Amino acid sequence: MDLAASPVTTGTTRAGEARGAPILGLWIGLTLALHLAMWATGGRTAALATAVEGGVTRIERDGAAAPSDEVVRKAVELQRAALPFWAVVRLLGDFLFEPAALAIRAAAAAVGFCACAALAGRRWKFDRAWADCARLQGWWVLGLAVRLGLVAWLRRSEEDVETSIALFLPPGAYPAAIGLAARRVDFFALLGWLATALAGRRRGEANLATALALCGSLAAVEVAARVGVGLFLGSAMRLALSAP
């Protein structure tokens, strides 16, 4: 019986993968197109250029402490020469890591729900979970589209446009970790995780509490990873672009 059932299960899984893959490919394509539009219009390079010129201003302001004008000139040249490197880092993030995050997030959620169902003795089908999780990545793409649309409409830099809980932070200075974490708790991402949890419950793989706990855990892991990478890159950029 097991041998006879195996081809059916394999065929169903392949059919589910076929349903989920084109949808995920669509979201990845839209993500790439949105990032390409930002680069084409100069929105991405503006923030990096501002950071570089801010470092130049600081060097020139503190230049009185330098032993000679030549030292200041070389420091300014080093500041501006670092721009292409950080532009490449941003390019990798936009065109490699962000699209890959859609696939990783969908796969992690699908595997997590199947594991919860297996542990609870419930029926599970990876193909259905994968198709649902791939489809619901559209929430993250919608959030990106809204943010970039607001950037174009308001004519502000991306750092000045928020769709996260950072909107509720009172004005003032905050530690980098708090600021990054607040910006990563995006309302569209919250809606995406909530929709993913409800879809898992609807498939019968977990009850509502388990589904919310699973999605909350996955969301927390993603936020922690993004904050860690952001702190590392932010510290490196500050050293490279601000230190004379």
Side-chain angles (χ1 to χ4, degrees):
M1 182 177 295
D2 293 339
L3 292 176
S6 180
V8 176
T9 303
T10 302
T12 304
T13 301
R14 288 176 179 173
E17 290 175 353
R19 290 194 300 269
I23 297 173
L24 188 61
L26 172 63
W27 298 142
I28 290 175
L30 288 175
T31 298
L32 293 173
L34 289 169
H35 285 307
L36 181 61
M38 281 298 294
W39 280 95
T41 56
R44 280 288 189 259
T45 56
L48 290 172
T50 299
V52 170
E53 292 306 316
V56 169
T57 301
R58 180 178 176 181
I59 290 173
E60 292 175 344
R61 184 189 64 207
D62 299 338
S68 66
D69 292 339
E70 183 66 16
V71 173
V72 176
R73 186 184 65 81
K74 289 183 177 180
V76 169
E77 291 178 353
L78 181 62
Q79 289 284 105
R80 289 174 173 154
L83 179 59
F85 171 77
W86 293 111
V88 170
V89 172
R90 191 62 185 267
L91 279 167
L92 289 174
D94 287 347
F95 294 101
L96 179 61
F97 297 113
E98 288 301 329
L102 296 173
I104 294 172
R105 189 185 301 117
V111 171
F113 274 111
C114 290
C116 288
L119 290 173
R122 300 171 184 262
R123 294 184 61 185
W124 57 273
K125 291 183 179 180
F126 179 78
D127 58 318
R128 288 185 58 196
W130 165 248
D132 279 350
C133 293
R135 174 175 54 84
L136 293 172
Q137 296 307 299
W139 281 105
W140 282 266
V141 180
L142 177 61
L144 175 63
V146 169
R147 287 194 302 275
L148 298 187
L150 289 173
V151 168
W153 182 40
L154 300 175
R155 295 185 178 181
R156 296 181 179 179
S157 66
E158 192 176 357
E159 286 72 17
D160 296 328
V161 175
E162 289 294 342
T163 58
S164 67
I165 64 172
L167 288 169
F168 301 105
L169 290 177
Y174 295 91
I178 294 177
L180 285 172
R183 296 193 67 182
R184 292 305 179 186
V185 183
D186 185 85
F187 294 122
F188 290 94
L190 291 175
L191 289 173
W193 283 117
L194 177 60
T196 302
L198 294 176
R201 177 180 179 273
R202 186 171 58 250
R203 291 191 304 271
E205 294 167 347
N207 58 37
L208 182 59
T210 302
L212 290 174
L214 172 63
C215 290
S217 300
L218 293 174
V221 170
E222 180 178 354
V223 169
R226 289 180 177 272
V227 169
V229 172
L231 288 174
F232 173 76
L233 292 179
S235 300
M237 185 177 291
R238 181 175 293 274
L239 288 173
L241 299 182
S242 299

